[in-house]
Amino acid sequence: MFKLNPLISMLLISVTYSASSFALTPEEKGRQIAVEADKRDLGFGDTKSSMTMVLKNQYGEETKRDMHSKTLEQADDGDKSLIVFDSPQDVKGTAFLSFTHQVGTDDQWLFLPALKRVKRISSSNKSGPFMGSEFAYEDISSQEVEKYTYKYLKDETFDGRAHFVIERDPVDPKSGYSKQVVWLDKDEYRAWKIDYFDRKGDKLKTLNISDYNKYLNQYWRANLWVMHNHQTGKSTELQYADFQFSNGLTNRDFTKNSLKRAR
């Protein structure tokens, strides 16, 4: 019988042990993927875009709302964003301001023109529906890495793309979700699908993201976001258009006072 030289056997054992000692745990690999996805979008500065929200009930009946939004990147915190409703008349002038934080609860406000006042969204209401849509207030914020713990689940291919599939669990005990499962493509680390599970662990919603375009030779933005609620049969589409970068936005464009004069 063929036998290895004892010295070679020892070297092979040593190499195998060293390789296994550097293998990432599912938790480490999941976080590594999330950090890489976040890193690839750093440095965009600011953006503006127009949006159409299409609300569909379980019978397929539609309601449309037109909006515009702007976002300002923060060097040492989460993004600031402002969404203003342009039509129809019953929601025109409604404005939503969000300060996302890397750690801790986000700050969010809603200006209701009919009441002529700014309403703060409490942390206990972050899981509530944003303007009657299937998107929750917490979905509208930028998804900062530190807001979740992570776990790599598997690799999976669909629509001709290879994806990482990771689980991310919200750190905030007041989140409406027990966990989220995210599909990110291996080439660009873009999210294409997210399953949301309610506090009981049942699948609540699925978000499908598509029609990506690349800007400034680096930053990917998706034109279509479709959130389907499995428990109610309702869905909401967000259709983005006219992305613009480097608009010269500053923190002065994102204040509670700016909500009332947002147009």
Side-chain angles (χ1 to χ4, degrees), residues 48-178:
K48 288 183 178 180
S49 65
S50 59
M51 306 157 62
T52 298
M53 175 186 282
V54 182
L55 308 174
K56 295 183 181 180
N57 64 19
Q58 60 268 45
Y59 307 109
E61 299 169 333
E62 295 185 358
T63 301
K64 291 187 178 182
R65 296 168 175 172
D66 292 317
M67 307 171 285
H68 64 275
S69 69
K70 50 189 177 183
T71 301
L72 179 64
E73 185 179 30
Q74 301 291 292
D76 53 359
D77 205 354
D79 300 340
K80 293 183 177 181
S81 61
L82 177 65
I83 298 174
V84 182
F85 286 77
D86 301 314
S87 68
Q89 191 62 38
D90 61 339
V91 295
K92 184 176 181 179
T94 301
F96 173 70
L97 177 65
S98 178
F99 292 0
T100 305
H101 302 302
Q102 292 177 344
V103 178
T105 304
D106 297 339
D107 293 310
Q108 297 179 327
W109 300 269
L110 189 67
F111 173 64
L112 302 169
L115 301 178
K116 296 182 179 180
R117 72 181 184 90
V118 175
K119 172 186 175 183
R120 184 181 179 90
I121 308 300
S122 68
S123 58
S124 58
N125 289 332
K126 298 295 173 64
S127 61
F130 171 64
M131 294 294 291
S133 74
E134 298 311 307
F135 288 85
Y137 284 99
E138 62 182 299
D139 302 334
I140 303 298
S141 302
S142 61
Q143 304 301 299
E144 303 298 319
V145 172
E146 299 301 328
K147 290 190 174 297
Y148 302 92
T149 59
Y150 299 89
K151 183 179 181 181
Y152 164 78
L153 299 179
K154 60 181 177 180
D155 290 351
E156 186 174 297
T157 299
F158 71 85
D159 291 342
R161 295 181 304 270
H163 299 80
F164 298 112
V165 184
I166 65 172
E167 177 183 323
R168 62 185 189 191
D169 300 346
V171 173
D172 185 356
K174 294 184 179 180
S175 170
Y177 309 118
S178 58

Side-chain angles (χ1 to χ4, degrees), residues 179-194:
K179 66 177 180 180
Q180 301 172 15
V181 178
V182 187
W183 282 255
L184 301 105
D185 70 72
K186 291 188 174 183
D187 290 333
E188 302 291 347
Y189 288 75
R190 299 166 296 186
W192 291 85
K193 178 181 174 181
I194 305 175

